[in-house]
Amino acid sequence: MAQRLQGRTALVTGSTSNIGRSIAVALAREGAHVVVSGRDAARGAAVVDQIREDGGRADFVRADLDGTAAAGKAFAATAAEVLGGRVDVLVNNAGIYPASTTPTTDEETFDRVYGVNVKAPFFLTQALVPGMIGAGGGVIINLGSWIARLGVPVSSLYSSTKGAMETLTRAWAAEFGPQGVRVNAISPGVVVSPDWDTTTDHPGEVMMRGTPAGRSGHPDAIAAAAVYLASDESAFVHGTVLDVDGGRTGVAVVAV
């Protein structure tokens, strides 16, 4: 069976663990040459080793995206160089989730979260889109969140950043789609890291009670959606936010 991303290049931000790691591994398994990125070089090397052991192509590029245009431009240039001069698929996955409420959020935290979760992908996209257009096309996949559209009484700051990314998805689809760049997003539900101790209950599990899935998801489910959106199978899909959330936002949840 032919690999769906053979001959293409991909950059996945925040791909040294959890969802980002699964996406990087899945894209490489489908033939893409992947740049794994993040702050931790040791964890990045582990992901690269896993991909190469499976016969894929991957390299690590350290990234500490603070939201400045300069950081985004420099990182984009380095990643493109490692990938042979172009990035065909950009996955804006990196994000931070502060454990704070609205009354306890200070200005420094607010600016840092928006810097990482919104400004960084904005300026990274700004830096890479011209190259995609010049090459005849490309794909951008943003990561949203189910709590961007279904309010919960915690994490209002994080929720607002993911709402911004879902809005940018639609705006970018309108802006770049006619020039050959498809833009879509994935909205994960409660996803538990594979490293989570399965002998204890994950706090998010309670939020999945009464959903069709009835449980939290695995990062590989998000990765499967990313492969679909990156491949030609989704060539007619533009500006969509794909819910991969066990039915959390689309189906009425009945308490059980």
Side-chain angles (χ1 to χ4, degrees):
M1 183 176 179
Q3 293 174 301
R4 288 178 281 179
L5 301 175
Q6 187 64 45
R8 300 184 195 180
T9 62
L11 167 59
V12 184
T13 66
S15 48
T16 60
S17 65
N18 208 15
I19 289 175
R21 177 175 185 149
S22 287
I23 292 175
V25 170
L27 296 181
R29 189 178 296 124
E30 290 293 337
H33 180 186
V34 178
V35 159
V36 175
S37 69
R39 296 185 177 92
D40 192 316
R43 293 199 303 183
V47 181
V48 168
D49 288 345
Q50 178 185 350
I51 291 172
R52 291 177 177 174
E53 287 170 5
D54 289 341
R57 298 181 64 196
D59 293 280
F60 175 74
V61 176
R62 188 181 185 282
D64 190 3
L65 298 173
D66 58 6
T68 62
K73 185 176 181 178
F75 178 60
T78 301
E81 182 179 1
V82 168
L83 292 172
R86 75 182 199 279
V87 176
D88 298 319
V89 179
L90 168 62
V91 181
N92 285 314
N93 168 74
I96 54 177
Y97 186 103
S100 61
T101 62
T102 298
T104 61
T105 298
D106 56 30
E107 186 175 10
E108 180 181 358
T109 299
F110 185 100
D111 290 342
R112 180 168 59 89
V113 174
Y114 262 83
V116 174
N117 292 10
V118 181
K119 287 183 67 180
F122 182 95
F123 286 115
L124 184 57
T125 298
Q126 180 191 75
L128 289 174
V129 160
M132 291 180 176
I133 294 171
V139 173
I140 297 171
I141 302 170
N142 297 320
L143 268 291
S145 173
W146 69 276
I147 60 174
R149 280 169 289 132
L150 189 62
V152 297
V154 293
S155 306
S156 59
L157 179 59
Y158 175 83
S159 299
S160 69
T161 65
K162 290 305 180 179
M165 290 309 300
E166 292 190 7
T167 297
L168 281 172
T169 296
R170 292 182 284 271
W172 283 341
E175 185 175 2
F176 304 131
Q179 301 174 81
V181 179
R182 288 192 301 107
V183 187
N184 292 288
I186 302 169
S187 177
V190 177
V191 174
V192 177
S193 167
D195 300 328
W196 182 263
D197 181 1
T198 56
T199 63
T200 61
D201 289 333
H202 187 277
E205 289 291 343
V206 68
M207 296 185 180
M208 294 302 293
R209 292 174 185 168
T211 64
R215 59 174 176 78
S216 60
H218 189 280
D220 286 352
I222 314 305
V227 168
Y228 165 70
L229 290 175
S231 74
D232 291 340
E233 293 175 1
S234 61
F236 201 52
V237 181
H238 291 260
T240 290
V241 178
L242 179 57
D243 292 323
V244 185
D245 63 3
R248 189 61 181 82
T249 56
V251 179
V253 175
V254 180
V256 293

